[in-house]
Amino acid sequence: MADASFKDVPELYEVEVGEALTARTESLATFRELGPPDLCHVVKTTGRTGQRDLSSFHFVSGVDASSSASLAAYINSLTYSIEDNSAWFSKGTTWKVRNGCYCCFNAFSRVDIRVDVKIPGGVHAYVVDLRGERHEATPDIWQETYVSALLRAILYSDDATYWLDAYRKLDPITTTEGELRFLQAAEALFTKGWQVGSDPEIQVATVVSNHLTAGIMKYFGVSGRYQQAANLFEKLSAREPEVASLLAKSYIGMNEEVKAVQILSAAMKHTPHSYTLFHVQSDFLRSKGKADWAVKLAREAVNCAPSEFVTWEKLTELYIDTKDYDSALLTLNSCPMFTYNGRDAHRAIPTSRIHLPFKREIGDILPEKQKTEDDEADPALLRLPAPGLRGTWARAYSLLTRLVSEVGWDELLKTRSSVFVMEEEYRLQKSHVDIQSASLDRRESSEHGSDANTGNAVIHEDGTVVRRSVVSDPPTLAADDADDDASTKGVHSPQESNGSVDSKSDIQALGASSSIPIIRVSSESDTQRELAAAVNGKGKAGEHEITSPTIERPISAVANEESDTASPRPSQDTFSFTNKRLCERWLDNLFMVLYEDLRVWTIFRAEVAHFKTQHVAYRKTGMEWEILGDLGLRLHHKEEAKDAYQRCLETSRYSQKPWAKLLAMYAEEGDITRTIQAAIRVAAYQYADYTEMTYPTLIARSFFKLGQIHGHAKISFTLISMGLPDPILKIMDSYLQYGKTFKVEGYDF
């Protein structure tokens, strides 16, 4: 059976022939956006009677899906990859690929295009819809499938959260002709781009916010080649004025800022309510140090798209830039949160065997891929909830961690208590309402035995007693039923110029709407006026009614409350929630997540300091150092995180993450030698996981960033001086060759 395996292609062997294809057909209706990677299914045979055929499959991205011929060519290439273990003196069993099926999901039309290849024999292409029915493949379907496959290859290329067994990644575009064909297909399908969905942070995909535009900007943005993207958007902006935001962003990337501003100015006249245009302008102003100007544009973006998370996120970031932390926290609390929908994936099926060939020529520099004590960690570190956050929750948490890094935990708690209703405050308010409720109940019970002109006694918060008239409705408290998810709801008292309600017209107006009850918090000035009215004979029954004490749901706003400085108990007399809001439950949970992160980080730093003073080595397992490095990055402690990742490399843990994180840090610092050293390890890990693509990857991004400063020639000479083995040198040189082919900045010096 080992002889049936491919030499350098991962495989998952089926229990029954055709299970993977059946499972994919049944799962087609569950694919929501771009769909999963392509599926390649092959059947191998020996040609002998009585010998059972074997079937296997693997996942792949980056294969040219523009025609049935290109997909059939990939399956045909697999026929040359079967291992040949027969010796010269004996003829062993020879396995051959009998047939294959390549499946590629069309994200535009929501169908699966399949190519059956029989060897020897013919090629048959057809379309399978969501119901499992077959149709003929048209040229339009092929074009959509081609773009869908490219977008998956580009967007899934370096997504660390998307992982599959036997997933092979190939270069999607290797020549300038292929890039031109991609641009032409993208232009033809641009208006359909919203059909393929968008990032999890975007609630509604639009013509400029979708996976197609994200793929175009990522492909050209990573290498800094915005000229090609600008040419494409220039053509499209004539038909779609909103595309001007992408065009302006491309020109800013090309350092053509004046032209970008002119484009934005003209576009605002045609589409004044496009939040993407406001965001490009605010980002430009922010880069120029004009955060206060950018805030105004971000507010307009929120008004244009109040249901989008990204508009509130941008406004929160700018409030943090301008040191307006109260507004930042309130804006963060108002962010609409969406259920996270991960990448589309295949349904897992049972397999009889997994074949994952190891490439020895590059794998020798990696540690052994086996479980050791360095793969264990303290349960307290493993239970940290922050790494499990996804989508809008992860983005909101990053804003919260930025806040705490700016002001500190204690100051953040003070800010939180100043803008949100705290539990103790709510309980105190509730007790005040209960006192009023009890007094009103007593008054109703003694109503028939007292004089109408005298009224019943009402006990106020300051202890004074005032005779008032009877209220027909018993008091209620709606706070217990308040919606936990109402971002702008708070506890509110009547808004008057003097902080009280003492006119008959106002009371009647408030009492007319029984669906909007109000908590009434009296002050010393209220009591004095009521006593004066009673002495002067003006306090007649029914003239001064008391509204039932309950919680209102105000749209906004801070009520002006007047307090008497002579009041014996000012802390309670002026008590009001008019300038506070209820904290969203999800934000309250994120505060607890942040507390857990900060608690573990504080303990860790205290232990490091203690061991340093005692001159004792501080030891952790490889996985613990990796978790602590991630924790440091989340909390914006970059240097401490870098140290933790470096300590992780001293262990025998098999993990790409610390090398990848350090690679990004070294490239940001412009350290050529360390960047290349880290890039070599990352490339080895990637090739060990069958990522055989050059671009767009983290290594390409890091090399091109260095190339803009030092030039590609210096990187090439540094690689040669390291005396690397030929297979590794060839892999590392492929990134520079890509830069030379596509003329990335720095390729010619």
Side-chain angles (χ1 to χ4, degrees):
M1 190 174 184
D3 298 340
S5 301
F6 293 128
K7 289 182 291 187
D8 52 2
V9 178
E11 293 178 278
L12 302 174
Y13 284 87
E14 294 177 313
V15 178
E16 297 292 337
V17 176
E19 277 185 318
L21 296 176
T22 303
R24 183 178 174 97
T25 302
E26 294 172 351
S27 302
L28 286 178
T30 65
F31 299 157
R32 296 177 301 272
E33 295 185 347
L34 280 178
D38 302 345
L39 173 70
C40 183
H41 179 272
V42 295
V43 178
K44 304 168 188 174
T45 184
T46 59
R48 297 181 179 180
T49 57
Q51 180 75 46
R52 181 172 175 266
D53 292 347
L54 297 178
S55 60
S56 67
F57 64 95
H58 64 274
F59 307 111
V60 61
S61 62
V63 178
D64 182 4
S66 59
S67 66
S68 59
S70 59
L71 297 182
Y74 175 78
I75 294 178
N76 187 60
S77 68
L78 298 178
T79 61
Y80 304 102
S81 298
I82 294 183
E83 294 181 353
D84 184 11
N85 293 334
S86 59
W88 64 272
F89 54 84
S90 65
K91 185 65 176 176
T93 303
T94 303
W95 290 88
K96 295 181 179 180
V97 176
R98 189 185 76 186
N99 58 56
C101 180
Y102 194 99
C103 309
C104 188
F105 186 70
N106 181 334
F108 292 88
S109 298
R110 323 303 299 169
V111 295
D112 204 35
I113 193 161
R114 299 184 181 181
V115 177
D116 285 338
V117 180
K118 298 186 184 302
I119 303 175
V123 176
H124 176 54
Y126 56 92
V127 171
V128 178
D129 62 17
L130 302 183
R131 296 184 298 274
E133 300 174 356
R134 293 193 179 191
H135 305 275
E136 184 182 354
T138 63
D140 290 340
I141 291 291
W142 276 113
Q143 186 180 53
E144 293 174 353
T145 306
Y146 167 67
V147 174
S148 299
L150 281 177
L151 292 179
R152 282 191 293 270
I154 293 169
L155 296 177
Y156 294 2
S157 61
D158 52 0
D159 188 349
T161 63
Y162 191 78
W163 185 86
L164 291 171
D165 271 326
Y167 182 15
R168 192 182 184 195
K169 299 179 182 179
L170 305 176
D171 270 315
I173 299 174
T174 56
T175 62
T176 54
E177 292 79 11
E179 184 179 280
L180 181 60
R181 187 169 52 166
F182 168 53
L183 287 171
Q184 291 172 344
E187 181 182 357
L189 297 174
F190 192 83
T191 55
K192 294 182 179 179
W194 60 271
Q195 297 177 7
V196 300
S198 60
D199 291 334
E201 297 80 19
I202 305 293
Q203 186 179 29
V204 180
T206 64
V207 71
V208 294
S209 300
N210 55 63
H211 285 311
L212 177 57
T213 57
I216 294 171
M217 293 303 291
K218 179 180 179 180
Y219 179 79
F220 293 106
V222 169
S223 58
R225 297 185 301 119
Y226 285 101
Q227 181 65 58
Q228 288 80 352
N231 294 339
L232 171 65
F233 296 139
E234 192 82 57
K235 302 174 188 175
L236 295 168
S237 60
R239 290 180 290 170
E240 296 286 344
E242 200 172 350
V243 179
S245 60
L246 299 173
L247 179 59
K249 192 181 296 185
S250 300
Y251 276 120
I252 291 174
M254 295 165 55
N255 293 321
E256 296 280 352
E257 296 177 348
V258 174
K259 196 166 186 178
V261 171
Q262 292 172 346
I263 290 170
L264 289 171
S265 176
M268 288 302 296
K269 298 175 183 177
H270 293 91
T271 54
H273 301 296
S274 171
Y275 76 87
T276 54
L277 285 173
F278 284 116
H279 278 186
V280 175
Q281 294 177 74
S282 61
D283 288 339
F284 177 68
L285 289 173
R286 188 180 179 189
S287 67
K288 300 301 179 183
K290 299 291 185 180
D292 51 338
W293 293 5
V295 165
K296 300 176 182 178
L297 293 169
R299 286 199 196 112
E300 289 298 323
V302 168
N303 293 333
C304 294
S307 61
E308 289 291 347
F309 172 84
V310 290
T311 57
W312 294 92
E313 179 191 35
K314 183 72 68 179
L315 184 57
T316 305
E317 291 175 348
L318 291 168
Y319 275 135
I320 297 175
D321 289 344
T322 56
K323 313 297 183 185
D324 189 353
Y325 302 119
D326 288 9
S327 298
L329 204 53
L330 285 171
T331 306
L332 179 60
N333 187 59
S334 301
C335 287
M337 309 301 286
F338 315 136
T339 301
Y340 175 72
N341 294 320
R343 304 281 194 193
D344 294 325
H346 290 89
R347 190 186 63 175
I349 62 172
T351 56
S352 61
R353 188 165 70 95
I354 300 177
H355 173 64
L356 302 175
F358 185 70
K359 297 190 176 182
R360 180 59 57 189
E361 63 273 9
I362 60 171
D364 287 339
I365 64 175
L366 300 178
E368 290 294 327
K369 193 175 183 179
Q370 57 184 8
K371 190 173 179 62
T372 64
E373 62 179 9
D374 281 308
D375 294 314
E376 300 174 356
D378 188 281
L381 293 175
L382 294 174
R383 285 197 302 264
L384 286 175
L389 297 174
R390 295 286 185 272
T392 53
W393 317 99
R395 298 268 285 264
Y397 184 70
S398 67
L399 292 174
L400 198 59
T401 56
R402 188 183 166 204
L403 263 174
V404 77
S405 69
E406 294 265 347
V407 300
W409 176 246
D410 293 337
E411 191 62 32
L412 180 61
L413 289 183
K414 290 180 183 177
T415 305
R416 177 179 177 235
S417 62
S418 67
V419 298
F420 296 135
V421 177
M422 296 289 101
E423 186 176 356
E424 290 299 323
E425 295 174 334
Y426 176 73
R427 287 177 179 174
L428 181 60
Q429 180 70 23
K430 194 169 185 289
S431 67
H432 292 170
V433 173
D434 291 341
I435 292 174
Q436 292 183 352
S437 300
S439 65
L440 291 173
D441 289 341
R442 286 197 299 271
R443 184 176 61 189
E444 287 181 352
S445 63
S446 60
E447 176 182 4
H448 300 289
S450 61
D451 186 84
N453 293 329
T454 306
N456 292 328
V458 177
I459 304 174
H460 287 276
E461 294 85 352
D462 57 0
T464 57
V465 180
V466 180
R467 299 289 179 180
R468 303 295 301 275
S469 59
V470 181
V471 178
S472 58
D473 296 329
T476 59
L477 182 64
D480 296 334
D481 297 328
D483 185 3
D484 289 326
D485 295 325
S487 63
T488 59
K489 296 173 185 175
V491 186
H492 185 40
S493 63
Q495 182 174 355
E496 291 289 321
S497 59
N498 56 6
S500 64
V501 179
D502 57 356
S503 67
K504 182 176 179 179
S505 60
D506 291 339
I507 293 174
Q508 289 175 345
L510 291 171
S513 178
S514 59
S515 62
I516 310 179
I518 295 174
I519 282 186
R520 184 173 188 280
V521 182
S522 65
S523 63
E524 185 69 19
S525 57
D526 298 335
T527 307
Q528 291 175 356
R529 279 190 294 275
E530 290 165 357
L531 285 172
V535 171
N536 295 331
K538 297 178 181 178
K540 297 181 181 179
E543 189 170 339
H544 293 281
E545 297 180 355
I546 301 177
T547 308
S548 299
T550 52
I551 291 181
E552 186 197 7
R553 301 177 178 181
I555 295 177
S556 70
V558 178
N560 296 322
E561 292 233 336
E562 178 183 326
S563 60
D564 194 340
T565 55
S567 171
R569 299 177 65 184
S571 62
Q572 291 188 12
D573 295 343
T574 60
F575 189 74
S576 175
F577 290 155
T578 56
N579 60 339
K580 290 192 174 186
R581 297 185 185 180
L582 298 182
C583 183
E584 295 280 4
R585 179 164 292 179
W586 63 263
L587 183 56
D588 213 30
N589 292 338
L590 287 187
F591 268 100
M592 295 306 300
V593 172
L594 179 59
Y595 168 75
E596 286 298 321
D597 273 359
L598 288 172
R599 183 180 66 83
V600 171
W601 182 256
T602 304
I603 293 173
F604 162 62
R605 297 309 300 170
E607 288 177 350
V608 170
H610 173 72
F611 277 79
K612 189 175 291 185
T613 56
Q614 298 296 321
H615 302 287
V616 179
Y618 186 61
R619 301 188 184 280
K620 291 279 186 184
T621 66
M623 189 173 186
E624 287 174 338
W625 282 120
E626 186 177 309
I627 293 173
L628 290 169
D630 294 343
L631 178 58
L633 279 186
R634 283 199 305 272
L635 298 177
H636 303 277
H637 298 293
K638 185 177 177 181
E639 291 302 319
E640 292 86 347
K642 184 196 292 186
D643 180 65
Y645 287 131
Q646 290 170 340
R647 297 288 296 272
C648 179
L649 301 182
E650 298 171 3
T651 66
S652 59
R653 174 169 166 76
Y654 185 93
S655 176
Q656 177 185 340
K657 181 185 283 187
W659 284 111
K661 297 292 185 182
L662 288 172
L663 172 60
M665 292 180 184
Y666 293 149
E668 194 70 33
E669 297 168 0
D671 191 331
I672 290 184
T673 304
R674 289 188 175 184
T675 300
I676 293 176
Q677 290 172 346
I680 292 170
R681 297 317 193 279
V682 172
Y685 275 109
Q686 288 182 350
Y687 271 75
D689 291 334
Y690 314 105
T691 301
E692 304 168 32
M693 65 186 304
T694 302
Y695 182 85
T697 56
L698 175 62
I699 299 175
R701 185 185 305 116
S702 302
F703 273 20
F704 296 158
K705 187 177 294 183
L706 287 178
Q708 292 175 355
I709 304 171
H710 304 287
H712 289 194
K714 187 174 183 179
I715 300 175
S716 179
F717 295 147
T718 307
L719 279 170
I720 295 172
S721 66
M722 288 183 172
L724 300 172
D726 286 342
I728 297 177
L729 181 61
K730 184 178 179 181
I731 291 172
M732 302 310 298
D733 191 58
S734 66
Y735 299 99
L736 300 178
Q737 289 299 321
Y738 178 92
K740 184 178 180 181
T741 301
F742 291 94
K743 295 181 172 54
V744 177
E745 183 180 356
Y747 81 98
D748 53 352
F749 68 90

